[in-house]
Amino acid sequence: MTATPIQAAPSRRMWPLYAAGFTTAFGAHGIAASLGALSHDAVTSLLVLGGLLALYDGAEVLLKPVFGTLADRIGARPVLLGGLLAFAFASALYAIADSPGWLWAARLGQGAAASAFSPSASALVARLNPAAKHGRAFGSYGFYKSIGYTLGPLLGGVLVWAGGLRLLFAVMAVLAAAVAAWATLAVPHVAPLPRTRQTVLDLARRLAAPAFWQPTAALAGATAALSVGVGFLPVSGAVAGLGTVATGAAVSVLALCAALVQPKAGRALDDGRITTRSGLATGLAVTAAGLACAMLPGLTGLLSAAVLIGAGTGLITPLGFAALAASTPKERLGQTMGSAELGRELGDAGGPLLVALVATTATLTYGYAALALLLAMGPMAVLITRHSTTQAPTDAPQI
């Protein structure tokens, strides 16, 4: 097949990629939310729980750029399939062995495998669709990934309740294997493109360019706010005297808004109704406003924060990835997506850490304010530098 398709890929070729996005999100949140529930024989303390959670994210931080580069070298499809099969194998380890030691090995293996198929799926989304359809493609991919984040804790909890942690790992193994088989049949081979030799200095220059780090910074900020919303809004609700039903509903509203906004944002970008620069700036401003609402007491502040954080992050995610795809040579898409995913992982860890550190020295309200101020610096930078960047090329999106 040709390296660069003229028309958007048929839906049957894209669905397995959406399923891969769902799998990595479901694997991350479904298992993480259930590790400490009915697995007292394996998770014996908060320190053990923290270590098991860190294994998955740590593997992703270290390995996503590596597997992204490998996808450019040998093709994204083999890395996608290999990652899904490795995820199935790692999940089956604990489902069969059922011992604390194998749980650690399985969680590490899942994180390493997700590091392979997640950036490969993003690269294939870009390669299989023309630039004019990238917004829609990444919007749909982000939608199903958000569904995985939303349903993961719920479905994971049901599975653990029904059959223990081993059942959850078994279901994850079957899911990953099924998606791998589906992708084998439906996702076409996309040949790696010829690449010029790249030195470490060349890579550093490309990653330091505004066309890369500005969308990546926006994606990291969105992920940071999303993690803070999921982790700390229930705490604020409890302090305000709200029950678990209300706080759980707020988190569900946040995830649902993020999922619903992404396809709409992608279509708006493709139709020319928004630009990546204005969209990312607006998304950061809306997300910052949501964090500001989280500072308000009571149910009104909680729900307003959930809606705005979800909408803001849903706006940023497809636009950020579309901007990266537009400004990256196609032969380096895997490397770029892997590096961008690294930025998101750092935001995922850094946002809650920042809020927690500020809340420890002051209050949670000041923690929200600190992250809101940090995110608001993006739109402020756009306003300050608008005049100086009016001559920037249109294919180098800026926040």
Side-chain angles (χ1 to χ4, degrees):
M1 64 175 288
T2 57
T4 307
I6 297 176
Q7 297 180 343
S11 297
R12 61 184 175 82
R13 294 182 173 180
M14 297 302 299
W15 279 108
L17 301 180
Y18 301 155
F22 174 88
T23 300
T24 183
F26 181 42
H29 280 204
I31 294 177
S34 305
L35 276 174
L38 297 176
S39 55
H40 304 299
D41 56 332
V43 182
T44 56
S45 68
L46 290 177
L47 181 61
V48 172
L49 177 60
L52 287 168
L53 295 175
L55 268 181
Y56 191 98
D57 293 331
E60 288 192 309
V61 168
L62 293 175
L63 295 178
K64 276 186 173 179
V66 175
F67 282 116
T69 302
L70 181 64
D72 292 332
R73 185 179 299 276
I74 68 172
R77 185 175 180 269
V79 180
L80 171 77
L81 298 178
L84 286 167
L85 291 175
F87 193 92
F89 177 77
S91 300
L93 279 178
Y94 181 69
I96 296 173
D98 188 23
S99 71
W102 284 115
L103 177 59
W104 286 81
R107 198 61 181 157
L108 178 61
Q110 286 179 330
S115 303
F117 72 79
S118 182
S120 299
S122 298
L124 283 167
V125 168
R127 287 290 304 276
L128 291 174
N129 291 276
K133 300 293 184 181
H134 277 172
R136 285 176 171 84
F138 280 110
S140 297
Y141 179 73
F143 171 81
Y144 288 103
K145 201 167 185 177
S146 295
I147 293 298
Y149 287 130
T150 305
L151 295 181
L154 174 62
L155 295 180
V158 171
L159 290 170
V160 170
W161 171 80
L165 196 60
R166 292 177 66 191
L167 176 60
L168 176 56
F169 273 78
V171 169
M172 290 305 310
V174 173
L175 174 63
V179 174
W182 190 9
T184 301
L185 297 174
V187 176
H189 172 68
V190 181
L193 298 174
R195 302 179 303 154
T196 57
R197 184 176 180 274
Q198 177 181 254
T199 66
V200 175
L201 183 59
D202 293 333
L203 174 61
R205 286 172 177 167
R206 188 159 62 82
L207 298 185
F212 172 81
W213 71 258
Q214 290 182 342
T216 300
L219 289 168
T223 308
L226 191 63
S227 297
V228 166
V230 171
F232 288 96
L233 286 182
V235 177
S236 296
V239 170
L242 301 175
T244 56
V245 173
T247 56
V251 172
S252 298
V253 166
L254 188 158
L256 182 62
C257 288
L260 295 178
V261 168
Q262 290 192 56
K264 297 180 183 297
R267 287 194 295 270
L269 176 66
D270 291 343
D271 295 339
R273 288 180 279 125
I274 59 174
T275 64
T276 52
R277 177 176 177 172
S278 63
L280 292 176
T282 301
L284 287 170
V286 171
T287 306
L291 290 166
C293 287
M295 300 166 62
L296 303 175
L299 184 60
T300 300
L302 192 70
L303 290 178
S304 299
V307 170
L308 292 176
I309 293 173
T313 56
L315 180 59
I316 291 169
T317 302
L319 302 189
F321 280 112
L324 290 168
S327 63
T328 301
K330 285 185 170 49
E331 66 273 15
R332 302 288 181 186
L333 272 172
Q335 186 179 69
T336 294
M337 294 303 173
S339 300
E341 290 280 0
L342 169 60
R344 295 186 76 194
E345 294 297 333
L346 294 177
D348 192 20
L353 181 60
L354 171 65
V355 172
L357 288 175
V358 175
T360 300
T361 58
T363 65
L364 184 54
T365 298
Y366 286 99
Y368 291 136
L371 184 57
L373 180 61
L374 185 62
L375 296 185
M377 291 173 63
M380 290 171 59
V382 169
L383 294 175
I384 294 172
T385 61
R386 182 180 297 276
H387 177 72
S388 62
T389 57
T390 53
Q391 302 302 319
T394 57
D395 60 347
Q398 299 184 23
I399 295 176

